[in-house]
Amino acid sequence: MYAYSLLDDCVLLYPVYALLFSDAGLSVAQISSLFVLWSLTGIVLEVPSGALADAVSRRLLLWTGPLLSATGFALWTVAPSYWTFALGFVLWGAKGAFGSGALEALVYEELSHLGAADRYAHVMGRARAAALVGVMTATALAGPVLGAGGYGVVGAASVGACVLTAVVAGRFPEHRDRGTTADADDSCPGWAASLRAGLSEAHGDRAVLGALLLVPAVTAVWGALDEYTPLLVREAGATDTVVPWWLLLIWVGATAGSLLAGRAQGLGTAGLAALLACAGAALAAGATLPAAGLPLPAGVALVALAFCAFQLTTVLADTRLQNSITGPSRATVTSLAGAATELTTVTVYGTYGLLASTTTHGTTFAVFAAPYLLTALVLACKRPGPGEDT
């Protein structure tokens, strides 16, 4: 699991593809439209792929997905243009949909098979930390590799990382009875039965619905802003070859948040609210400090602190969701949370494109701190229902 997570994000294109798009002549609005297409692909495929994972094999989807993104990255490298970028994002979006839901369900149920479901937050926190180590490795290497070999070499290395991810995913264990969901309704194929069971649980159980809605509320905005961090840092005065090093500091913060997840899994709703409020304030301050004439390192450090809290709350929100699911369609329910996240992310991309066309990236980042303050307020005022965490 840790090797899979590390390799899956050790893609040298990640920290520089926004620069690739910009250097290919794309405007901020065009870049945002690609991100919207990416998210729309995930929205369309997210829930069907989750139901497929429940009905067929989660491991199958986990090794197939990276091969799709490898194809997309190869297209970007060989024939960079708006339309090949768009096709690459469709393939990458399909890869994300294949893994979302399937990965969490596989890990949770394998831990349950070993009698260690209570270790989920710890394991997923470390896995996300491994993924961020992959991001940081790619970030550290991207600048020198880009300088030495250009986007062609960066793209080739990215394709290789995706292929290795697929190989590792093929080694995952998978112990579960795939007949359970299909047997729930003999008149329906396994896929349709999985889908119906997942929708029914998400709609009918208040604890599941609340945990499901918390996932996009915590995850969507910072996940979208991540795509624009290279542009934020460059706007603040960093050169292209130095941008990845500043991004490295931001991802050190996110990695620390992942590693804290196991210890923070007992954090209640009030604690999550306070954490999100502090993170939103740090994001707004960090994004605007360089524009106010203060040093770039101070601004990046505050953004890193915000990302630390965002990553921590992301793992905790996922853990709450997995603990609340009791039915057989775990991947389907988790995919519903993923679809809600993608739908919210599309809104963020579209809004970001409009705002950044009329103001600075720093100001736009600061505006997007507001949803976290609102979520914190909602959590602080929330009254838990029966069985819900306080």
Side-chain angles (χ1 to χ4, degrees):
M1 175 62 190
Y2 300 151
Y4 172 88
S5 298
L6 188 148
L7 289 169
D8 192 39
D9 278 307
C10 192
V11 176
L12 268 63
L13 273 171
Y14 285 179
V16 298
Y17 66 73
L19 305 180
L20 168 63
F21 301 158
S22 180
D23 291 344
L26 273 62
S27 66
V28 173
Q30 287 178 310
I31 293 173
S32 292
S33 73
L34 291 175
F35 295 156
V36 170
L37 178 62
W38 185 18
S39 292
L40 286 175
T41 303
I43 291 170
V44 171
L45 297 178
E46 184 86 33
V47 178
S49 67
L52 183 64
D54 282 326
V56 183
S57 169
R58 293 156 185 171
R59 178 174 57 197
L60 173 64
L61 270 66
L62 290 173
W63 70 257
T64 303
L67 299 181
L68 297 178
S69 54
T71 303
F73 296 152
L75 287 171
W76 289 1
T77 304
V78 173
S81 71
Y82 179 85
W83 295 110
T84 54
F85 294 152
L87 179 55
F89 268 122
V90 169
L91 292 170
W92 195 2
K95 179 264 180 185
F98 280 19
S100 177
L103 180 64
E104 293 86 351
L106 185 145
V107 173
Y108 192 90
E109 293 192 357
E110 287 303 308
L111 288 171
S112 295
H113 178 74
L114 297 171
D118 60 339
R119 299 281 293 169
Y120 179 81
H122 180 81
V123 171
M124 287 303 292
R126 285 190 172 186
R128 290 178 186 271
L132 293 172
V133 169
V135 170
M136 290 188 290
T137 301
T139 300
L141 293 175
V145 173
L146 179 62
Y151 289 115
V153 176
V154 170
S158 301
V159 171
C162 292
V163 173
L164 287 175
T165 303
V167 171
V168 173
R171 301 288 297 171
F172 279 152
E174 188 171 16
H175 299 92
R176 66 191 185 95
D177 179 8
R178 286 188 290 272
T180 302
T181 303
D183 293 343
D185 187 344
D186 291 338
S187 66
C188 294
W191 176 86
S194 296
L195 181 60
R196 289 176 60 184
L199 292 172
S200 177
E201 182 169 9
H203 180 264
D205 189 317
R206 178 180 171 182
V208 173
L209 181 60
L212 188 155
L213 293 175
L214 181 61
V215 172
V218 167
T219 307
V221 173
W222 83 277
L225 292 181
D226 166 44
E227 308 305 329
Y228 299 99
T229 49
L231 301 177
L232 175 71
V233 174
R234 181 161 69 175
E235 177 186 79
T239 63
D240 286 358
T241 55
V242 176
V243 164
W245 293 102
W246 288 115
L247 298 183
L248 185 62
L249 178 59
I250 293 175
W251 288 110
V252 166
T255 302
S258 292
L259 294 175
L260 290 170
R263 295 182 177 182
Q265 62 182 322
L267 195 65
T269 301
L272 282 177
L275 190 60
L276 284 173
C278 292
L283 178 67
T288 54
L289 278 181
L294 294 175
L296 174 62
V300 174
L302 281 172
V303 173
L305 182 62
F307 273 44
C308 173
F310 292 148
Q311 181 64 62
L312 173 57
T313 52
T314 294
V315 177
L316 296 180
D318 173 43
T319 301
R320 284 188 169 206
L321 177 59
Q322 298 304 321
N323 287 337
S324 69
I325 299 170
T326 58
S329 296
R330 182 174 298 278
T332 305
V333 175
T334 307
S335 290
L336 287 169
T341 300
E342 292 294 342
L343 186 60
T344 307
T345 300
V346 167
T347 304
V348 176
Y349 286 147
T351 306
Y352 193 103
L354 292 174
L355 290 175
S357 298
T358 58
T359 187
T360 65
H361 290 288
T363 300
T364 306
F365 265 67
V367 169
F368 278 109
Y372 286 106
L373 300 177
L374 179 60
T375 300
L377 179 62
V378 171
L379 286 174
C381 296
K382 182 177 182 291
R383 294 182 179 180
E388 291 186 291
D389 195 347
T390 58

